[in-house]
C-alpha cells in the first residue's frame, strides 16, 4: 500500500509529538530452569521496599564529563581502545583496568578468571555503567569485585562517531545507513574479539542493557559460533520483544514512524539526537529543583513511574549524557518490531517515485535457538519499555535459559536499572552473585595486559 509524503506543517507536528520520546527514551545456571515470582500484587501495602540513601557523593559537574574523565575522577584505571569493524566504523572501547588509591579504597587489579564486556542501551553510551558512581554503578562494582571490565560504544554514539571513509556530518548520510542489526553483526563481534585478543582469554562474560541485549541475539542468530566465545549472558531488561510497551509517547512514535522516517530521510536528517555541548547546561536550567517535575514526567511516561527511586541530581547528570546519538534507521527498526511483535530484520521503506513511500514485505525473523549461551534475564514489573510479559516471552524461547530474576521492587522501571537509588541492592548485587558462579567455573585468563 502506497502512502503520501507529509506536508511540511505535518512533518513539524510529527517532530513536535515525537521529540519528547527521543529525548527521554533510551533502560545459577540451574536445572531445572528457575523463575522468581512474577505476581503483580496491586495492594501496595503488601510490599515494603527498603529505603536507599540519595546520591550524595555525585556532583553536578559529572553531567559535563566524558566517561573516561568520570572513571578517572572516581579513582579507577581507564584505558581507551579504538576498534575497527569489518565495514569501517571506528568504535571507542573503554576498559576499567582496576582501582587506584585515589578511589579511597586499596588499589586493586583485575584477578577474576575471565573479563566482562558490557553493552549499552538505545540512544545511550557506556555511561549507562558508571553514572551512578562508585558503590552503585555496575561498572565500578564489577571492578571492585576483581573483574576486568570492558565497556563498548555502538556506532553513531558520541564516542563512536567515526568511520574510515564516511563523514558523519556529510549531507549524503552514508555513515548513518545502519540499524541495530549492523551494531550486532559488526560492532559487537569486533568488540568481543578485541577484548579476547587483548586479554588472552578464550571466553568472556557478556552484560547488556535493553538494546545491548538484542544486539547480541542478532550476532548469535547470524554468527552462532560466537556462543563458544561467551561464558554467560546477563540480559538486563532485554529488548527483543517490545510490543506490550506502555509509554504513550513511544506509542505515538511507533504509530507515526513510517511517515516521520520518510520525511526525515527525504530531508537528509539521518542522525537522531546527537550529544551536544549545550544539552547539559540546558538540562541544568530546565530540570532545576524548582521545575524538575517536567523532566520527571517525561521519564515516567517513557520508562515507568517510580518517584521514590528518582534522584533529581542523578537525573540531571544522566540527561547530560543522554541522548548520545543514534541513526534514524535504528529507531525505525525498533518501531517495526514493536508494531509487528516480530524480532525480525529491518524492512526499509520504498519510494513510490511520486513523493510517497510504501513498506517492504516482512523481513526474516532472527533465530533465537542459535543463541546457546546460558542466559540470565532480569526484569521489572513496572517497566514501560520492556513489559515483564515480553521479558518472560524471551525467557521461554531462548534454548539455554539459566535463571530469571524479577526485581523485588514491584514499581521498578526501565530507567531504574541504571539510575535508581535501589538498583545496586536489588539488581547489581544479584547480578554479581550470578557472575561469581559462572566465573568460578571459567578457565583462568592467560594474562591481563
Amino acid at each position: 500500500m502506497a502512502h503520501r509524503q507529509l506536508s511540511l506543517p505535518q512533518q513539524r507536528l510529527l517532530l513536535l509529538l515525537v521529540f519528547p520520546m527521543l529525548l527521554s527514551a533510551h533502560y545459577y545456571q540451574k536445572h531445572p530452569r528457575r523463575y522468581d515470582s512474577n505476581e503483580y500484587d496491586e495492594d501496595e501495602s503488601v510490599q515494603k521496599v527498603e529505603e536507599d540513601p540519595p546520591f550524595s557523593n555525585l556532583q553536578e559537574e559529572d553531567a559535563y564529563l566524558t566517561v573516561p574523565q568520570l572513571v578517572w575522577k572516581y579513582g579507577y584505571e581507564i584505558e581507551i581502545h579504538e576498534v575497527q569493524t569489518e565495514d569501517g566504523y571506528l568504535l571507542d572501547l573503554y576498559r576499567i583496568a582496576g582501582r587506584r588509591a585515589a578511589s579511597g579504597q586499596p588499589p586493586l587489579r583485575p584477578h577474576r578468571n575471565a573479563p566482562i564486556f558490557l553493552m549499552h542501551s538505545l540512544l545511550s553510551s557506556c555511561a549507562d555503567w558508571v553514572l551512578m558512581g562508585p558503590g552503585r554503578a555496575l561498572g565500578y562494582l564489577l571492578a571492585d569485585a576483581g573483574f576486568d571490565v570492558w565497556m563498548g560504544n555502538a556506532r553513531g554514539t558520541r564516542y563512536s562517531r567515526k568511520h574510515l571513509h564516511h563523514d558523519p556530518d556529510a549531507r549524503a548520510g552514508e555513515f548513518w545507513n545502519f540499524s541495530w542489526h549492523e551494531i550486532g553483526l559488526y560492532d559487537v563481534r569486533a568488540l568481543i574479539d578485541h577484548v579476547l585478543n587483548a586479554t588472552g582469554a578464550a571466553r568472556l562474560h557478556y552484560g547488556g542493557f535493553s538494546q545491548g541485549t538484542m544486539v547480541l541475539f542478532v550476532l548469535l542468530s547470524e554468527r552462532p559460533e560466537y556462543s563458544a566465545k561467551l561464558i554467560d549472558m546477563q540480559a538486563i531488561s532485554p529488548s527483543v520483544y517490545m510490543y506490550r510497551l506502555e509509554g504513550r509517547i513511544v506509542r505515538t512514535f511507533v504509530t507515526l514512524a513510517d511517515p516521520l522516517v520518510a520525511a526525515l530521510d527525504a530531508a537528509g536528517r539521518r542522525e537522531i539526537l546527537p550529544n551536544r555541548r549545550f544539552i547539559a547546561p540546558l538540562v541544568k536550567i530546565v530540570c532545576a529543583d524548582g521545575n524538575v517535575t517536567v523532566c520527571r514526567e517525561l521519564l515516567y511516561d517513557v520508562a515507568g513511574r517510580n518517584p521514590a527511586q528518582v534522584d533529581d541530581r542523578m537525573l540531571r547528570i544522566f540527561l547530560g549524557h543522554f541522548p548520545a546519538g543514534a541513526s534514524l534507521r535504528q529507531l525505525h527498526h525498533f518501531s517495526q518490531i514493536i508494531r509487528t511483535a516480530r524480532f525480525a530484520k529491518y524492512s526499509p521503506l520504498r519510494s513510490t517515485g511520486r513523493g510517497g513511500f510504501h513498506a517492504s514485505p516482512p523481513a526474516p525473523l532472527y533465530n533465537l535457538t542459535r543463541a546457546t549461551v546460558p542466559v540470565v534475564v532480569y526484569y521489572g514489573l513496572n517497566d514501560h519499555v520492556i513489559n515483564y510479559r515480553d521479558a518472560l516471552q524471551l525467557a521461554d524461547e531462548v534454548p539455554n535459559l539459566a535463571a530469571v530474576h524479577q526485581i523485588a521492587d514491584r514499581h521498578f522501571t526501565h530507567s531504574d536499572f541504571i539510575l535508581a537509588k535501589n538498583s545496586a541492592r536489588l539488581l547489581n548485587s544479584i547480578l554479581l552473585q550470578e557472575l561469581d558462579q559462572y566465573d568460578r567455573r571459567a578457565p583462568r585468563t592467560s594474562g591481563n595486559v
Side-chain angles (χ1 to χ4, degrees):
M1 178 180 177
H3 304 265
R4 289 188 306 107
Q5 195 165 20
L6 297 180
S7 66
L8 184 58
Q10 288 173 321
Q11 293 175 23
R12 287 173 176 168
L13 176 60
L14 287 175
L15 286 172
L16 181 63
L17 289 171
V18 174
F19 180 76
M21 187 282 298
L22 297 178
L23 181 64
S24 303
H26 112 276
Y27 220 92
Y28 317 119
Q29 184 175 7
K30 297 286 191 293
H31 300 285
R33 294 175 177 179
R34 186 179 79 254
Y35 287 81
D36 293 347
S37 168
N38 66 333
E39 293 297 320
Y40 199 128
D41 190 341
E42 294 296 337
D43 184 359
E44 295 192 20
S45 65
V46 172
Q47 185 194 39
K48 294 182 180 179
V49 179
E50 184 178 331
E51 186 72 20
D52 290 82
F55 293 87
S56 57
N57 61 321
L58 300 183
Q59 300 174 335
E60 297 277 0
E61 71 167 16
D62 291 359
Y64 301 83
L65 301 180
T66 65
V67 166
Q69 289 170 336
L70 280 172
V71 174
W72 184 258
K73 170 186 173 179
Y74 285 107
Y76 290 77
E77 299 285 352
I78 182 73
E79 294 179 6
I80 302 174
H81 297 242
E82 186 175 77
V83 178
Q84 181 180 326
T85 68
E86 181 182 320
D87 56 347
Y89 286 82
L90 302 174
L91 315 175
D92 272 15
L93 173 64
Y94 301 146
R95 181 188 197 182
I96 303 180
R99 190 176 63 208
R100 299 182 294 121
S103 66
Q105 301 182 68
L108 179 68
R109 295 291 297 171
H111 59 264
R112 293 291 188 140
N113 288 336
I116 181 167
F117 172 70
L118 302 173
M119 199 64 184
H120 60 81
S121 57
L122 172 67
L123 282 168
S124 196
S125 70
C126 69
D128 281 355
W129 311 112
V130 298
L131 285 184
M132 289 193 294
R136 274 179 158 151
L138 183 59
Y140 298 124
L141 292 173
L142 289 167
D144 291 342
F147 284 96
D148 189 1
V149 182
W150 296 76
M151 305 181 295
N153 291 284
R155 63 184 64 194
T157 62
R158 64 182 293 191
Y159 301 116
S160 297
R161 207 172 168 273
K162 300 168 287 183
H163 192 280
L164 290 175
H165 309 295
H166 302 316
D167 181 356
D169 296 317
R171 173 91 177 160
E174 289 95 341
F175 179 95
W176 299 102
N177 289 335
F178 65 85
S179 79
W180 42 262
H181 173 83
E182 287 76 17
I183 294 173
L185 183 59
Y186 297 115
D187 294 7
V188 174
R189 177 156 53 102
L191 293 166
I192 287 174
D193 285 341
H194 184 91
V195 173
L196 295 179
N197 290 334
T199 61
R203 298 190 299 162
L204 54 75
H205 306 284
Y206 186 100
F209 171 48
S210 196
Q211 179 188 262
T213 62
M214 73 191 310
V215 292
L216 182 62
F217 285 117
V218 168
L219 174 61
L220 298 181
S221 173
E222 301 296 296
R223 298 287 299 272
E225 66 272 18
Y226 268 75
S227 284
K229 299 187 178 187
L230 306 174
I231 300 167
D232 58 282
M233 177 189 187
Q234 304 296 318
I236 304 169
S237 190
S239 58
V240 169
Y241 296 112
M242 303 176 64
Y243 59 95
R244 299 181 181 95
L245 66 80
E246 300 177 35
R248 291 168 296 179
I249 296 173
V250 182
R251 279 289 180 195
T252 301
F253 166 71
V254 172
T255 301
L256 303 173
D258 283 357
L260 176 64
V261 167
L264 290 172
D265 187 70
R269 301 289 185 177
R270 299 184 180 96
E271 181 181 15
I272 300 299
L273 291 176
N275 188 270
R276 301 299 192 195
R277 290 186 177 182
F278 67 81
I279 290 180
L282 179 63
V283 165
K284 190 173 182 179
I285 297 172
V286 174
C287 300
D289 289 333
N291 59 339
V292 74
T293 301
V294 174
C295 298
R296 277 179 171 253
E297 289 301 325
L298 283 172
L299 181 70
Y300 296 159
D301 184 88
V302 172
R305 179 182 294 270
N306 193 5
Q309 297 305 322
V310 177
D311 181 277
D312 293 338
R313 178 167 45 182
M314 181 72 258
L315 179 58
R316 286 191 291 271
I317 292 171
F318 169 67
L319 291 175
H321 294 263
F322 178 96
S327 74
L328 178 63
R329 184 175 294 185
Q330 201 174 332
L331 269 69
H332 192 213
H333 197 174
F334 267 104
S335 76
Q336 290 177 351
I337 68 168
I338 295 169
R339 187 172 61 247
T340 64
R342 301 171 71 246
F343 185 48
K345 297 181 182 180
Y346 181 63
S347 296
L349 296 176
R350 304 295 183 187
S351 172
T352 63
R354 299 185 299 275
F357 63 91
H358 63 81
S360 300
L365 293 170
Y366 293 107
N367 188 348
L368 290 173
T369 65
R370 293 177 176 173
T372 58
V373 60
V375 176
V376 181
V377 173
Y378 304 83
Y379 70 93
L381 286 175
N382 192 32
D383 188 330
H384 276 200
V385 179
I386 312 301
N387 184 280
Y388 72 92
R389 297 178 185 90
D390 290 336
L392 292 175
Q393 180 179 344
L394 170 67
D396 282 338
E397 294 185 12
V398 295
N400 194 1
L401 179 66
V404 177
H405 293 284
Q406 175 193 301
I407 304 302
D409 178 359
R410 77 175 192 78
H411 299 289
F412 208 80
T413 74
H414 195 65
S415 59
D416 285 346
F417 285 100
I418 58 170
L419 297 178
K421 298 174 187 175
N422 63 5
S423 64
R425 176 170 52 84
L426 297 185
L427 167 68
N428 294 341
S429 62
I430 298 171
L431 192 148
L432 285 164
Q433 291 174 16
E434 290 282 4
L435 281 174
D436 185 65
Q437 296 181 62
Y438 285 104
D439 196 72
R440 282 191 275 109
R441 296 196 295 265
R444 179 70 178 171
T445 298
S446 60
N448 291 305
V449 295

